[in-house]
Amino acid sequence: YCRIDDMDICPRAIACFNAVIKSLLSLLGVNGSDKTLTPNPLVSLSQNDAGANMNVSLFSANGIGTVLANTAILQDRAYWEVVIVRNGPFYVGVSHRIRKNNPNTNYSYNDQLVDRNRNWAVKSSALGNLKTDNTIGIALDNTGIPTIIFYVNGKHVSEIKGIKGDVYPAVSMETEDAILEFRFNDNDFRFPPQNGNSFGRPFTGIIPARNVI
């Protein structure tokens, strides 16, 4: 017996998720990713931080609404990737986590990532003519003015400056068309991060916060 939201995720649950996702993609006529992602991850998508109409596994998301990763980004430079398994409109970037039972917020995970006071994201259409199997690289640089940088298949396309507070990798979907796959581990990246100048620490996969370890 394995709970999906347990931090100590068992291999049987991961194998089950992979089999279900592959079956669904096969039925939809989609080939899916080109490799098996790192098992037993500490960093994954969070079913506790997802909209009611989102279908979320450890690494894949589909539906309408928003989903966050299970850890905040606390390191100086972090990088992760989002692979388009099936194309559709979406926003991708980072977001604050919603504090449960907070009466002062009008935002929910059923909304899109369009509130610049809480989330910093770009719409997929702003990243160019995206296609199935394209890879969006996302780098968060906290060494100066916090900046999120977007790449498509390794090419720089956009950035947003002025990120504030503790933020989590996030995506939101406007329709059920898109299926997206997240890659948080260095070993899984299709396009390793571009580290820019030689000063400071390089970009690496997301290091989980203490509450996730």
Side-chain angles (χ1 to χ4, degrees):
Y1 170 71
C2 297
R3 285 175 55 89
I4 292 172
D5 55 355
D6 281 344
M7 293 303 177
D8 205 10
I9 303 169
C10 77
R12 184 180 298 176
I14 295 170
C16 235
F17 274 127
N18 285 336
V20 169
I21 291 300
K22 287 181 179 179
S23 296
L24 287 174
L25 295 179
S26 177
L27 288 172
L28 293 168
V30 179
N31 291 327
S33 65
D34 55 5
K35 64 185 292 186
T36 300
L37 300 186
T38 302
N40 201 20
L42 288 174
V43 181
S44 65
L45 297 179
S46 171
Q47 292 204 345
N48 293 324
D49 297 292
N53 296 313
M54 290 294 290
N55 303 309
V56 179
S57 70
L58 295 178
F59 300 118
S60 298
N62 164 256
I64 299 175
T66 292
V67 62
L68 274 54
N70 66 346
T71 183
I73 305 169
L74 303 180
Q75 67 215 72
D76 289 342
R77 287 176 167 176
Y79 178 84
W80 65 101
E81 292 181 341
V82 176
V83 177
I84 301 175
V85 178
R86 191 177 70 188
N87 206 3
F90 60 89
Y91 293 83
V92 64
V94 295
S95 176
H96 291 165
R97 189 181 188 192
I98 296 176
R99 295 181 181 274
K100 293 184 177 181
N101 302 319
N102 182 357
N104 298 318
T105 182
N106 294 318
Y107 174 76
S108 81
Y109 291 131
N110 295 322
D111 298 324
Q112 300 295 307
L113 297 175
V114 294
D115 183 350
R116 195 49 67 87
N117 293 317
R118 310 175 180 277
N119 38 69
W120 294 263
V122 293
K123 192 169 184 177
S124 54
S125 58
L127 296 175
N129 185 25
L130 297 178
K131 300 177 181 178
T132 295
D133 205 44
N134 281 174
T135 300
I136 302 168
I138 303 132
L140 179 62
D141 190 346
N142 288 314
T143 57
I145 298 174
T147 302
I148 186 169
I149 308 160
F150 299 92
Y151 304 87
V152 175
N153 297 335
K155 181 180 178 181
H156 175 277
V157 291
S158 183
E159 59 184 57
I160 302 172
K161 294 183 179 293
I163 297 5
K164 298 178 182 178
D166 291 342
V167 292
Y168 296 67
V171 69
S172 68
M173 302 181 183
E174 297 181 306
T175 71
E176 295 181 349
D177 294 331
I179 298 175
L180 303 179
E181 177 188 85
F182 281 71
R183 299 182 175 214
F184 300 112
N185 190 289
D186 291 283
N187 297 326
D188 296 328
F189 295 148
R190 288 178 162 185
F191 298 88
Q194 302 177 25
N195 292 306
N197 62 50
S198 59
F199 302 101
R201 296 180 178 179
F203 287 102
T204 61
I206 296 174
I207 300 170
R210 288 180 178 271
N211 66 325
V212 176
I213 298 176

